PDB file of all heavy atoms in Angstrom:
ATOM      1  N   GLY W 646     -21.342  17.851  -3.511  1.00 99.00           N
ATOM      2  CA  GLY W 646     -20.174  16.955  -3.460  1.00 99.00           C
ATOM      3  C   GLY W 646     -20.413  15.577  -4.038  1.00 99.00           C
ATOM      4  O   GLY W 646     -19.560  14.699  -3.952  1.00 99.00           O
ATOM      5  N   TYR W 647     -21.592  15.370  -4.655  1.00 99.00           N
ATOM      6  CA  TYR W 647     -21.964  14.041  -5.132  1.00 99.00           C
ATOM      7  C   TYR W 647     -21.552  13.801  -6.579  1.00 99.00           C
ATOM      8  O   TYR W 647     -21.647  14.684  -7.423  1.00 99.00           O
ATOM      9  CB  TYR W 647     -23.489  13.898  -5.027  1.00 99.00           C
ATOM     10  CG  TYR W 647     -24.030  12.587  -5.543  1.00 99.00           C
ATOM     11  CD1 TYR W 647     -24.058  11.461  -4.722  1.00 99.00           C
ATOM     12  CD2 TYR W 647     -24.502  12.478  -6.847  1.00 99.00           C
ATOM     13  CE1 TYR W 647     -24.554  10.254  -5.196  1.00 99.00           C
ATOM     14  CE2 TYR W 647     -25.004  11.277  -7.329  1.00 99.00           C
ATOM     15  CZ  TYR W 647     -25.024  10.167  -6.504  1.00 99.00           C
ATOM     16  OH  TYR W 647     -25.508   8.986  -6.979  1.00 99.00           O
ATOM     17  N   GLY W 648     -21.106  12.589  -6.867  1.00 99.00           N
ATOM     18  CA  GLY W 648     -20.802  12.211  -8.243  1.00 99.00           C
ATOM     19  C   GLY W 648     -20.253  10.796  -8.264  1.00 99.00           C
ATOM     20  O   GLY W 648     -19.500  10.401  -7.364  1.00 99.00           O
ATOM     21  N   LEU W 649     -20.655  10.033  -9.265  1.00 98.00           N
ATOM     22  CA  LEU W 649     -20.238   8.629  -9.368  1.00 98.00           C
ATOM     23  C   LEU W 649     -19.058   8.501 -10.318  1.00 98.00           C
ATOM     24  O   LEU W 649     -18.668   9.449 -10.992  1.00 98.00           O
ATOM     25  CB  LEU W 649     -21.400   7.783  -9.893  1.00 98.00           C
ATOM     26  CG  LEU W 649     -22.708   7.848  -9.097  1.00 98.00           C
ATOM     27  CD1 LEU W 649     -23.826   7.157  -9.882  1.00 98.00           C
ATOM     28  CD2 LEU W 649     -22.516   7.203  -7.732  1.00 98.00           C
ATOM     29  N   SER W 650     -18.551   7.269 -10.368  1.00 98.00           N
ATOM     30  CA  SER W 650     -17.462   6.951 -11.292  1.00 98.00           C
ATOM     31  C   SER W 650     -17.853   5.654 -11.992  1.00 98.00           C
ATOM     32  O   SER W 650     -18.842   5.022 -11.634  1.00 98.00           O
ATOM     33  CB  SER W 650     -16.172   6.767 -10.481  1.00 98.00           C
ATOM     34  OG  SER W 650     -15.162   6.227 -11.291  1.00 98.00           O
ATOM     35  N   TYR W 651     -17.069   5.235 -12.971  1.00 98.00           N
ATOM     36  CA  TYR W 651     -17.320   3.912 -13.549  1.00 98.00           C
ATOM     37  C   TYR W 651     -16.775   2.828 -12.637  1.00 98.00           C
ATOM     38  O   TYR W 651     -17.089   1.667 -12.765  1.00 98.00           O
ATOM     39  CB  TYR W 651     -16.671   3.789 -14.936  1.00 98.00           C
ATOM     40  CG  TYR W 651     -17.297   4.716 -15.961  1.00 98.00           C
ATOM     41  CD1 TYR W 651     -16.579   5.139 -17.074  1.00 98.00           C
ATOM     42  CD2 TYR W 651     -18.607   5.148 -15.822  1.00 98.00           C
ATOM     43  CE1 TYR W 651     -17.138   5.986 -18.010  1.00 98.00           C
ATOM     44  CE2 TYR W 651     -19.180   6.004 -16.745  1.00 98.00           C
ATOM     45  CZ  TYR W 651     -18.439   6.420 -17.842  1.00 98.00           C
ATOM     46  OH  TYR W 651     -19.002   7.258 -18.755  1.00 98.00           O
ATOM     47  N   THR W 652     -15.896   3.241 -11.735  1.00 98.00           N
ATOM     48  CA  THR W 652     -15.372   2.286 -10.768  1.00 98.00           C
ATOM     49  C   THR W 652     -15.971   2.620  -9.407  1.00 98.00           C
ATOM     50  O   THR W 652     -16.813   3.518  -9.293  1.00 98.00           O
ATOM     51  CB  THR W 652     -13.826   2.340 -10.770  1.00 98.00           C
ATOM     52  OG1 THR W 652     -13.328   1.201 -10.078  1.00 98.00           O
ATOM     53  CG2 THR W 652     -13.287   3.610 -10.138  1.00 98.00           C
ATOM     54  N   THR W 653     -15.589   1.875  -8.392  1.00 98.00           N
ATOM     55  CA  THR W 653     -16.117   2.145  -7.056  1.00 98.00           C
ATOM     56  C   THR W 653     -14.948   2.363  -6.093  1.00 98.00           C
ATOM     57  O   THR W 653     -13.858   1.832  -6.314  1.00 98.00           O
ATOM     58  CB  THR W 653     -16.964   0.962  -6.545  1.00 98.00           C
ATOM     59  OG1 THR W 653     -16.251  -0.245  -6.809  1.00 98.00           O
ATOM     60  CG2 THR W 653     -18.311   0.921  -7.210  1.00 98.00           C
ATOM     61  N   PHE W 654     -15.207   3.151  -5.069  1.00 98.00           N
ATOM     62  CA  PHE W 654     -14.154   3.452  -4.100  1.00 98.00           C
ATOM     63  C   PHE W 654     -14.629   3.087  -2.708  1.00 98.00           C
ATOM     64  O   PHE W 654     -15.805   3.267  -2.389  1.00 98.00           O
ATOM     65  CB  PHE W 654     -13.807   4.946  -4.139  1.00 98.00           C
ATOM     66  CG  PHE W 654     -13.241   5.391  -5.461  1.00 98.00           C
ATOM     67  CD1 PHE W 654     -14.046   6.031  -6.395  1.00 98.00           C
ATOM     68  CD2 PHE W 654     -11.910   5.149  -5.786  1.00 98.00           C
ATOM     69  CE1 PHE W 654     -13.544   6.436  -7.617  1.00 98.00           C
ATOM     70  CE2 PHE W 654     -11.398   5.549  -7.011  1.00 98.00           C
ATOM     71  CZ  PHE W 654     -12.220   6.185  -7.927  1.00 98.00           C
ATOM     72  N   GLU W 655     -13.705   2.596  -1.933  1.00 98.00           N
ATOM     73  CA  GLU W 655     -14.056   2.291  -0.545  1.00 98.00           C
ATOM     74  C   GLU W 655     -13.164   3.084   0.394  1.00 98.00           C
ATOM     75  O   GLU W 655     -11.943   3.078   0.236  1.00 98.00           O
ATOM     76  CB  GLU W 655     -13.871   0.794  -0.302  1.00 98.00           C
ATOM     77  CG  GLU W 655     -14.810   0.279   0.749  1.00 98.00           C
ATOM     78  CD  GLU W 655     -14.712  -1.233   0.842  1.00 98.00           C
ATOM     79  OE1 GLU W 655     -15.274  -1.913  -0.055  1.00 98.00           O
ATOM     80  OE2 GLU W 655     -14.016  -1.707   1.765  1.00 98.00           O
ATOM     81  N   TYR W 656     -13.800   3.735   1.339  1.00 98.00           N
ATOM     82  CA  TYR W 656     -13.072   4.488   2.358  1.00 98.00           C
ATOM     83  C   TYR W 656     -12.970   3.611   3.600  1.00 98.00           C
ATOM     84  O   TYR W 656     -13.951   2.988   3.993  1.00 98.00           O
ATOM     85  CB  TYR W 656     -13.843   5.759   2.750  1.00 98.00           C
ATOM     86  CG  TYR W 656     -13.895   6.836   1.690  1.00 98.00           C
ATOM     87  CD1 TYR W 656     -14.670   6.690   0.545  1.00 98.00           C
ATOM     88  CD2 TYR W 656     -13.190   8.023   1.851  1.00 98.00           C
ATOM     89  CE1 TYR W 656     -14.728   7.693  -0.415  1.00 98.00           C
ATOM     90  CE2 TYR W 656     -13.245   9.031   0.899  1.00 98.00           C
ATOM     91  CZ  TYR W 656     -14.011   8.854  -0.232  1.00 98.00           C
ATOM     92  OH  TYR W 656     -14.071   9.843  -1.179  1.00 98.00           O
ATOM     93  N   SER W 657     -11.816   3.562   4.238  1.00 98.00           N
ATOM     94  CA  SER W 657     -11.703   2.795   5.480  1.00 98.00           C
ATOM     95  C   SER W 657     -10.596   3.368   6.351  1.00 98.00           C
ATOM     96  O   SER W 657      -9.793   4.193   5.900  1.00 98.00           O
ATOM     97  CB  SER W 657     -11.415   1.328   5.175  1.00 98.00           C
ATOM     98  OG  SER W 657     -10.177   1.218   4.511  1.00 98.00           O
ATOM     99  N   ASN W 658     -10.576   2.876   7.579  1.00 98.00           N
ATOM    100  CA  ASN W 658      -9.437   3.139   8.457  1.00 98.00           C
ATOM    101  C   ASN W 658      -9.186   4.638   8.689  1.00 98.00           C
ATOM    102  O   ASN W 658      -8.036   5.066   8.696  1.00 98.00           O
ATOM    103  CB  ASN W 658      -8.204   2.495   7.788  1.00 98.00           C
ATOM    104  CG  ASN W 658      -7.197   2.029   8.810  1.00 98.00           C
ATOM    105  OD1 ASN W 658      -7.516   1.976   9.999  1.00 98.00           O
ATOM    106  ND2 ASN W 658      -6.000   1.733   8.365  1.00 98.00           N
ATOM    107  N   VAL W 659     -10.250   5.396   8.863  1.00 98.00           N
ATOM    108  CA  VAL W 659     -10.070   6.840   9.101  1.00 98.00           C
ATOM    109  C   VAL W 659      -9.449   7.035  10.486  1.00 98.00           C
ATOM    110  O   VAL W 659      -9.948   6.508  11.479  1.00 98.00           O
ATOM    111  CB  VAL W 659     -11.428   7.590   9.033  1.00 98.00           C
ATOM    112  CG1 VAL W 659     -11.213   9.095   9.207  1.00 98.00           C
ATOM    113  CG2 VAL W 659     -12.140   7.291   7.728  1.00 98.00           C
ATOM    114  N   LYS W 660      -8.343   7.749  10.527  1.00 98.00           N
ATOM    115  CA  LYS W 660      -7.665   7.966  11.816  1.00 98.00           C
ATOM    116  C   LYS W 660      -7.349   9.442  12.001  1.00 98.00           C
ATOM    117  O   LYS W 660      -6.935  10.122  11.066  1.00 98.00           O
ATOM    118  CB  LYS W 660      -6.341   7.206  11.836  1.00 98.00           C
ATOM    119  CG  LYS W 660      -6.496   5.721  12.038  1.00 98.00           C
ATOM    120  CD  LYS W 660      -5.117   5.116  12.297  1.00 98.00           C
ATOM    121  CE  LYS W 660      -5.163   3.621  12.109  1.00 98.00           C
ATOM    122  NZ  LYS W 660      -4.075   3.129  11.304  1.00 98.00           N
ATOM    123  N   LEU W 661      -7.528   9.904  13.230  1.00 98.00           N
ATOM    124  CA  LEU W 661      -7.166  11.281  13.557  1.00 98.00           C
ATOM    125  C   LEU W 661      -5.867  11.251  14.355  1.00 98.00           C
ATOM    126  O   LEU W 661      -5.662  10.355  15.170  1.00 98.00           O
ATOM    127  CB  LEU W 661      -8.255  11.940  14.407  1.00 98.00           C
ATOM    128  CG  LEU W 661      -9.701  11.830  13.916  1.00 98.00           C
ATOM    129  CD1 LEU W 661     -10.600  12.729  14.751  1.00 98.00           C
ATOM    130  CD2 LEU W 661      -9.807  12.205  12.448  1.00 98.00           C
ATOM    131  N   SER W 662      -5.022  12.251  14.127  1.00 98.00           N
ATOM    132  CA  SER W 662      -3.741  12.275  14.837  1.00 98.00           C
ATOM    133  C   SER W 662      -3.952  12.379  16.346  1.00 98.00           C
ATOM    134  O   SER W 662      -3.140  11.908  17.125  1.00 98.00           O
ATOM    135  CB  SER W 662      -2.876  13.435  14.335  1.00 98.00           C
ATOM    136  OG  SER W 662      -3.589  14.641  14.424  1.00 98.00           O
ATOM    137  N   SER W 663      -5.051  12.981  16.731  1.00 98.00           N
ATOM    138  CA  SER W 663      -5.359  13.083  18.156  1.00 98.00           C
ATOM    139  C   SER W 663      -6.844  13.373  18.294  1.00 98.00           C
ATOM    140  O   SER W 663      -7.454  13.951  17.387  1.00 98.00           O
ATOM    141  CB  SER W 663      -4.534  14.221  18.763  1.00 98.00           C
ATOM    142  OG  SER W 663      -4.982  14.471  20.072  1.00 98.00           O
ATOM    143  N   SER W 664      -7.409  12.984  19.421  1.00 98.00           N
ATOM    144  CA  SER W 664      -8.826  13.312  19.592  1.00 98.00           C
ATOM    145  C   SER W 664      -8.982  14.569  20.441  1.00 98.00           C
ATOM    146  O   SER W 664     -10.081  15.055  20.645  1.00 98.00           O
ATOM    147  CB  SER W 664      -9.567  12.136  20.225  1.00 98.00           C
ATOM    148  OG  SER W 664      -8.962  11.838  21.457  1.00 98.00           O
ATOM    149  N   THR W 665      -7.858  15.092  20.923  1.00 98.00           N
ATOM    150  CA  THR W 665      -7.895  16.342  21.692  1.00 98.00           C
ATOM    151  C   THR W 665      -6.826  17.269  21.131  1.00 98.00           C
ATOM    152  O   THR W 665      -5.649  16.904  21.083  1.00 98.00           O
ATOM    153  CB  THR W 665      -7.593  16.070  23.183  1.00 98.00           C
ATOM    154  OG1 THR W 665      -8.428  14.998  23.609  1.00 98.00           O
ATOM    155  CG2 THR W 665      -7.837  17.298  24.023  1.00 98.00           C
ATOM    156  N   LEU W 666      -7.238  18.430  20.694  1.00 98.00           N
ATOM    157  CA  LEU W 666      -6.272  19.329  20.043  1.00 98.00           C
ATOM    158  C   LEU W 666      -6.361  20.732  20.612  1.00 98.00           C
ATOM    159  O   LEU W 666      -7.426  21.149  21.076  1.00 98.00           O
ATOM    160  CB  LEU W 666      -6.537  19.373  18.536  1.00 98.00           C
ATOM    161  CG  LEU W 666      -6.303  18.023  17.875  1.00 98.00           C
ATOM    162  CD1 LEU W 666      -7.616  17.476  17.341  1.00 98.00           C
ATOM    163  CD2 LEU W 666      -5.293  18.141  16.750  1.00 98.00           C
TER     164      LEU W 666
END
Side-chain angles (χ1 to χ4, degrees):
Y647 178 85
L649 304 170
S650 169
Y651 294 155
T652 194
T653 46
F654 297 100
E655 209 173 284
Y656 290 72
S657 62
N658 211 12
V659 183
K660 284 190 196 133
L661 310 189
S662 54
S663 170
S664 58
T665 310
L666 296 114

